[in-house]
Amino acid sequence: MKRVVSVSLGSSSRDHKVELDVLGQHFLVERIGTNGSIEKAVEIVKELDGKVDAFGMGGIDIYLHGSENAKYMIRSSKPLVHAAVKTPIVDGSELKNVLERRVVYFVDEQCDVKIRNKKVLLVSAIDRFGMAEAFDELGAKLVMGDLIFSLGIPIPITSLKLLRAAAVVLMPALCQLPFSWLYPVGGNQDQITPKHGRFYQRADIIAGDFIYIRKYLPDNLPGKIIITNTVTPKDVELLRERGVKMLVTSTPDLQGRSFGTNVIEAILVAASGKRPEQLTKQDYLKLLDDIGFKPRVENL
């Protein structure tokens, strides 16, 4: 049996464990949250290094991407990366651009939701550049909330050109900050403070990282479509209560839970038997198709 472990800086309340068969191989897949402690995450990785087939790094990225070809390493992630000496460790970023570009086209082509002229709030585009480009290619009226949701500055970014310019200026400095300044970790992921409601209410589609979406979630979101990554059954019920019409996740439902892209990427790496640096985007797409991993769609 192969074992994949996602070590996350997120809340342990979101932990989950499943067994599944992938390409004729039996997998144990588990997520371990450390409630914001990098030290505990490093300890777990060191303890399991060489004993598991692949690590996912959750709740933090190794890199932030200013474009497909420009990336900046996050200083806070270095101890985790260096802790994995024998076992490959991935943060989902290589798969994310492939998978999340694909899910936007999937919604447009197979969910009876035409993206053209839809008002889209993408809560953070720096870590989802492929998704941002796909919305732009399909003619969405795109608002990117990187300044709003990461820095608390209520200024929307409305073009990819502006996003790239902001990334060039801001990324080198932002990547040196403690990651908890940029993204909710630990118990902060369980807190909702309704704020910036006008950006949610103006949108037909709210997309991107679910922790960011949840962070300022309004009490009422009637008729909205959510396109995101990982949700628990509790998250699904929360969206249902607030009137969301449709939920689409870029990753599949694995026994009641959609895992993050770091987990899916780790599964693909372990299933392939290769190191992450040996896999191309085309390899990931073929593996996804061979396994049959498809987006999850729920009409709420």
Side-chain angles (χ1 to χ4, degrees), residues 31-235:
R31 185 253 194 208
I32 304 173
T34 66
N35 298 307
S37 173
I38 291 180
E39 292 78 13
K40 185 175 180 180
V42 168
E43 182 182 319
I44 293 170
V45 170
K46 285 183 175 179
E47 179 185 344
L48 296 177
D49 188 33
K51 301 176 184 176
V52 301
D53 294 279
F55 287 115
M57 183 191 296
I60 187 172
D61 294 326
I62 299 175
Y63 298 101
L64 290 179
H65 294 256
S67 68
E68 188 174 354
N69 298 315
K71 59 184 182 181
Y72 307 85
M73 189 171 193
I74 297 172
R75 183 178 181 181
S76 297
S77 72
K78 290 182 180 180
L80 274 167
V81 175
H82 294 155
V85 177
K86 300 176 182 178
T87 299
I89 186 167
V90 294
D91 66 353
S93 61
E94 293 302 320
L95 179 62
K96 193 179 293 182
N97 279 335
V98 173
L99 198 60
E100 298 194 338
R101 175 185 293 276
R102 175 183 269 197
V103 76
V104 175
Y105 278 87
F106 173 86
V107 169
D108 185 72
E109 295 166 1
Q110 300 189 39
C111 293
D112 197 29
V113 177
K114 289 302 176 186
I115 300 298
R116 178 165 294 279
N117 292 324
K118 286 287 190 298
K119 297 175 182 176
V120 176
L121 170 62
L122 179 54
V123 291
S124 176
I126 288 294
D127 65 335
R128 279 173 166 75
F129 215 86
M131 180 177 275
E133 288 183 328
F135 277 124
D136 185 67
E137 290 162 5
L138 288 171
K141 296 178 180 178
L142 185 59
V143 168
M144 292 165 282
D146 294 76
L147 297 177
I148 302 165
F149 291 85
S150 297
L151 302 177
I153 301 170
I155 299 175
I157 298 172
T158 55
S159 77
L160 293 180
K161 183 177 180 180
L162 286 174
L163 178 70
R164 292 187 181 101
V168 169
V169 173
L170 296 175
M171 284 300 99
L174 293 179
C175 287
Q176 301 304 310
L177 297 174
F179 193 68
S180 59
W181 291 19
L182 304 175
Y183 187 82
V185 298
N188 289 333
Q189 292 187 349
D190 298 324
Q191 298 175 8
I192 301 176
T193 305
K195 194 177 179 182
H196 305 303
R198 68 186 184 277
F199 296 109
Y200 289 88
Q201 300 301 346
R202 290 172 184 169
D204 302 306
I205 298 172
I206 301 162
D209 183 275
F210 188 74
I211 299 300
Y212 272 142
I213 291 173
R214 193 179 187 277
K215 182 178 181 180
Y216 299 131
L217 197 69
D219 292 333
N220 294 291
L221 290 170
K224 305 299 183 184
I225 297 167
I226 305 288
I227 304 175
T228 189
N229 50 343
T230 172
V231 292
T232 66
K234 187 176 178 181
D235 296 327

